Amino acid sequence: MKIYIGCDHAGYEMKAAVKELLESKGHTVEDMGGDGGRVDYPVIAKKVGKAVVSDEGSRGILICGTGIGMSLAANKIKGIRAALCADHFSAKYTRLHNDANIMCMGARTLGIGVALELTELFVDTPFEGGRHATRVDLIREMEEEF
Ligand code: RB5
């Protein structure tokens, strides 16, 4: 799978660990920054979000201090469903039920071990479709309406 990954200065170390895991599992990872220096999270969220919407079937991972700023910013992009995850159930079910295409994590709220397990769940879990597809379509309608 193609995975676009990005972080701000708070998430740099966690991003390196997530990237290493994904590459070891044979995924193609494109690093959209940052480079460890101070960078505003919306700048990186925009880059990763744009890449994910224009590359069908790809996914994104965004890491900042809390994961909140990244998720707020990424969800401004039409077609992005960015889920802030801090537990295993959420990482699994945001794929099964929401067809989330970006997962956001907080480097100051999560240990790296948990972040790696959430990453595996997010990447390996398929969308369930069915009644959940109807709900995702309702989100798409909202994107058109507002
Ligand atoms: C950076 O200090 C911090 O505000 C950022 O990483 C993030 O937590 C924002 O949501």
Side-chain angles (χ1 to χ4, degrees), residues 130-146:
R131 68 185 187 280
H132 303 295
T134 309
R135 293 162 187 165
V136 171
D137 284 343
L138 288 169
I139 295 175
R140 288 199 184 93
E141 279 179 27
M142 288 175 68
E143 285 177 333
E144 298 304 324
E145 192 177 341
F146 296 99

Side-chain angles (χ1 to χ4, degrees), residues 48-111:
V48 169
K50 277 175 74 176
V52 169
V53 285
S54 55
D55 184 356
E56 205 181 329
S58 70
R59 293 202 197 139
I61 293 187
L62 285 167
I63 303 166
C64 63
T66 57
I68 295 171
M70 285 292 196
S71 59
L72 291 174
N75 278 314
K76 295 295 177 195
I77 297 174
K78 189 175 170 181
I80 289 299
R81 291 177 301 284
L84 171 60
C85 292
D87 65 275
H88 292 68
F89 191 88
S90 299
K92 179 176 175 183
Y93 277 82
T94 199
R95 286 291 313 134
L96 286 172
H97 288 188
N98 313 130
D99 199 16
N101 48 14
I102 292 183
M103 181 171 72
C104 303
M105 295 186 289
R108 293 175 179 158
T109 61
L110 286 181

Side-chain angles (χ1 to χ4, degrees), residues 9-31:
H9 43 283
Y12 187 68
E13 193 189 330
M14 182 176 280
K15 181 181 73 172
V18 169
K19 198 172 153 183
E20 190 182 326
L21 169 78
L22 290 169
E23 285 172 344
S24 77
K25 292 190 152 279
H27 297 290
T28 305
V29 181
E30 192 164 331
D31 190 340

